[in-house]
Amino acid sequence: IAQVQEKEVLKQHHRSLPLNENGMSYLIWRQLLDSKQSNLSFRMIMRLAQLIIESSCLVKKILDQSYSHIFLDEFQDTTMMQFEFLKACFDVEDHIFTAVGDDKQKIMGWAGADKEIFEKYREVYVADEISLTMNFRSAPKLVKLQNYLIKELLKKDSLMQPSSSFKE
């Protein structure tokens, strides 16, 4: 029972802000914020930063004017909370976004990486998907092995092509 309660408490302190003052999440946040020793998690700090951005026109304007291009690397390991933070920081219409990643290289599922993050990204940013079919860093035999492993282990078709600059 203690583990179930602890998981529920953790879910409550990761929710978007502001909170209803009569709810359990608010009470949990109050208790953690009022303690003498800091009990804020990284996720709580991210939610506080998101609240500041969403609440302050000046902060939002400074972000908007500071960056015209947003480049997101290793995007396959993005959590929904991180994606919500991104959306709070930058308006879709005023910036150029590029998300790079490979869903065959997801390693952060244990940490909450969203399995459908690319689909959500394409929906929000009306993005085109461009697949890289040439791998200039891999020799033909290595690409052949990678394609085999992707097909057999992940049950996906790979479009990776060996670089023509390599000789067998």
Side-chain angles (χ1 to χ4, degrees), residues 14-28:
H14 297 160
R15 292 180 55 202
S16 295
L17 300 176
L19 301 170
N20 178 343
E21 291 186 28
N22 298 322
M24 182 171 76
S25 296
Y26 181 83
L27 296 174
I28 291 168

Side-chain angles (χ1 to χ4, degrees), residues 43 77 79 106-115:
R43 290 178 178 163
D77 291 325
T79 67
K106 291 180 184 177
I107 61 169
M108 300 300 288
W110 61 270
D114 191 308
K115 293 176 184 169

Side-chain angles (χ1 to χ4, degrees), residues 3 6 14 17 25 29 31-32 38 42 48-49 54 59 72 77 107 112-113 120 125-126 130 133 142 144 152 160:
Q3 271 188 324
E6 183 177 331
H14 297 160
L17 300 176
S25 296
W29 271 81
Q31 184 178 357
L32 293 170
S38 174
F42 180 77
L48 289 168
E54 292 173 342
V59 171
L72 308 160
D77 291 325
I107 61 169
K120 291 173 183 171
Y125 296 97
V126 192
I130 300 171
T133 58
L142 183 54
K144 187 176 180 179
E152 296 301 316
M160 297 300 295

Side-chain angles (χ1 to χ4, degrees), residues 114-131:
D114 191 308
K115 293 176 184 169
E116 285 88 34
I117 198 66
F118 284 109
E119 291 80 14
K120 291 173 183 171
Y121 177 84
R122 281 192 294 273
E123 183 180 311
V124 169
Y125 296 97
V126 192
D128 294 325
E129 180 177 345
I130 300 171
S131 296

Side-chain angles (χ1 to χ4, degrees), residues 33-78:
L33 289 170
D34 290 342
S35 63
K36 288 186 180 187
Q37 183 178 355
S38 174
N39 286 308
L40 294 178
S41 68
F42 180 77
R43 290 178 178 163
M44 291 176 79
I45 294 168
M46 185 182 294
R47 288 297 192 194
L48 289 168
Q50 183 178 343
L51 179 64
I52 291 168
I53 291 164
E54 292 173 342
S55 302
S56 172
C57 294
L58 179 60
V59 171
K60 180 81 162 120
K61 185 176 181 179
I62 290 169
L63 276 174
D64 279 340
Q65 292 178 349
S66 297
Y67 304 98
S68 61
H69 292 67
I70 313 302
F71 183 82
L72 308 160
D73 196 14
E74 299 296 339
F75 195 70
Q76 73 275 1
D77 291 325
T78 301

